[in-house]
Amino acid sequence: MPAVRQAANATAEMMFNDGGAGAASKLMFAVADIADKEVMKMDEARVQDKYTQLARAGNESIYGKDGVTTRLGANAVGVADKWLMDFDKTAGSLTEDMTPRQKAMFSKYSSALRRGFHDNALRHETGQMRAYEDESYKNLIGTSMESAAANPRDGLMIGMQTGIAIEAMRKRPEYSGASPEVKASMEQDLRAGFHASVIQRSIQLEDVAYANEYFDSVKGEIPLKIRSKIESELKPVTDFANGKALALEVEGKIASGEMSVTEGERYIIEKSKTKDAAGVAQSVMREMQDAARRDADKVTGTLVEQFEMRPSHGSMN
């Protein structure tokens, strides 16, 4: 080490010129001190280099293209513990060619780095687990509602699926930490969601009568806001179903000669439960009458065409 020798020579010359007692001994200590300081500088540089390598590897393992933060949902389970093992393995490989003093210095730096990175990995895993739990819960509720509504007249299935959903909700942290009043409200809202699913499915199956029957039997359990929404969805389909049924009834009576068209129109107004239902019935009646006229015109037109296409027996060639 040239620097060490130069420093030692300068110190020896100074002590020789002084001519003090024990100059050789002082020189020996001075040289040793300078050499130790140089070694310390080299150790520090080596440790810093190894630390930089470890930090880069840590960053890549957390934030890189295949790092911890790319593991989402259920795939993030246990990722923090695995990262810790990989980090310790990398740190260990970097210290294989270090001296004991370098290892001690490196450990001081790497321990802080280890804690910081591990905390980040744990936060990511915890956040993903919560997201996964939320998604799983929502999927369970959605599947249960679909199963309950698959056959709207199966009361046993509706009750069972509602019970499964409520039991799952009671295990949620937002439920367990709520007051009794809030818990009751949460359960009421969830039950209302199942009722709404059954009613909507009944409407899809064009079983409007049952949709109204079911709603009447459960509307006392449904919060006012949700109840009003269901009523707004039920009214137009109910008016259409009632109006169509009334129009078919009147058309049958007219066809059988039981009543005239004018009497049928008055009958619709009298029997309709709502103004909108009457409007639907009148519209359906007009469509059926128009269709009947078109059919009659088509038949008449066909007969005329057939007559015109007949050969003229009075013609002479």
Side-chain angles (χ1 to χ4, degrees), residues 104 150 214:
Y214 183 88

Side-chain angles (χ1 to χ4, degrees), residues 46 50 52 94 105 143 145 158 166 203 224 254 258 277:
R46 186 166 179 77
K50 296 286 188 176
T52 300
L94 289 171
M105 295 169 64
T143 301
M145 284 188 177
I158 294 171
I166 289 176
I203 292 172
L224 181 59
I254 293 174
E258 187 176 340

